[in-house]
Amino acid sequence: MADADLTVIEAVLAGDADRYAALVEKYQDQALRLAFGLLGNYEDARDASQEAFVNAYRALGRFRRGATFSTWLYRIVVNECQDARRLRLRQPAASLAIGEADPAERDGAPLFMDVEEPGTGPAEQLADRELSQQLSRAIGELPLKQRTAFLLHHVHGLPLEEAAGVMECRIGTVKSHVFRATERLQAFLRPWLAKEGR
């Protein structure tokens, strides 16, 4: 997989810019999911992930041959999301017009896709969907570094070492962020799970 990415990168650097579309197609869903997990807003996530691909293209000459493209791209996505969050904090909050949907409700889509288990009834499927929404909400409440570490490791499946490379910190720091995030998520979900009898 990494060799195929490297072949595409070398072709792009040799002047075949159209080949970059293969990398975008391959990683755009993962980049968007990561950005959405960090920002909690689909429009902002889409903008940040698109800008990450543009910046990755511009910086492709600096890509280290020993790295994996996905890890390098995730680092750029995380940077874009941090920039988007800083920009959002500097902008005054817009007031809603009467009858306009609350953005928090519009963007409350869960991070996790609902995959229905064969043989489960409607009640179990509804409970699983609610759990997905509760978990997504809980992840959105995590501090940014914990959320980033948790998403990279548990949602995107990066080994701790790669997550540390994306976050540009030591592996022990990532472990600590993942551990704290897991503790906070358990505490957040415990009352809901008790109420649901799980």
Side-chain angles (χ1 to χ4, degrees):
M1 193 178 288
D3 290 341
D5 291 349
L6 186 56
T7 301
V8 172
I9 290 167
E10 287 173 349
V12 172
L13 292 174
D16 190 358
D18 291 342
R19 295 280 303 275
Y20 189 68
L23 292 173
V24 174
E25 187 176 321
K26 182 175 181 180
Y27 293 108
Q28 66 184 352
D29 288 345
Q30 295 156 299
L32 180 59
R33 275 191 15 207
L34 176 59
F36 181 76
L38 295 173
L39 296 172
N41 174 292
Y42 178 77
E43 293 301 321
D44 290 347
R46 189 182 63 188
D47 292 347
S49 62
Q50 287 175 352
E51 192 62 31
F53 278 108
V54 170
N55 290 340
Y57 177 79
R58 290 179 182 149
L60 210 51
R62 295 193 304 264
F63 176 75
R64 289 190 334 267
R65 300 301 186 263
T68 60
F69 180 77
S70 60
T71 302
W72 186 68
L73 176 67
Y74 286 158
R75 173 74 243 152
I76 296 170
V77 171
V78 168
N79 287 340
E80 283 300 319
C81 291
Q82 289 171 341
D83 290 348
R85 286 174 57 87
R86 279 192 289 272
L87 181 64
R88 190 189 300 163
L89 290 173
R90 279 189 262 137
Q91 293 176 338
S95 60
L96 294 175
I98 294 175
E100 186 178 346
D102 182 349
E105 291 174 13
R106 258 194 341 255
D107 295 321
L111 280 170
F112 307 102
M113 295 197 42
D114 295 327
V115 179
E116 295 175 359
E117 269 187 61
T120 58
E124 291 89 359
Q125 291 172 5
L126 179 61
D128 288 344
R129 220 176 349 265
E130 287 176 11
L131 176 59
S132 173
Q133 291 171 342
Q134 290 293 330
L135 183 56
S136 296
R137 188 173 297 121
I139 290 170
E141 296 292 323
L142 292 172
L144 185 60
K145 288 184 180 178
Q146 290 178 17
R147 188 182 332 161
T148 304
F150 185 87
L151 288 171
L152 289 171
H153 183 59
H154 285 300
V155 176
H156 292 276
L158 266 63
L160 291 169
E161 186 176 315
E162 280 187 48
V166 169
M167 295 180 69
E168 296 179 330
C169 62
R170 295 187 330 259
I171 192 167
T173 304
V174 173
K175 284 181 183 177
S176 175
H177 288 317
V178 170
F179 178 77
R180 287 191 181 118
T182 304
E183 279 189 327
R184 289 179 78 133
L185 292 174
Q186 287 172 341
F188 183 93
L189 292 172
R190 196 171 291 122
W192 184 84
L193 292 171
K195 186 180 79 170
E196 293 294 310
R198 290 186 174 212

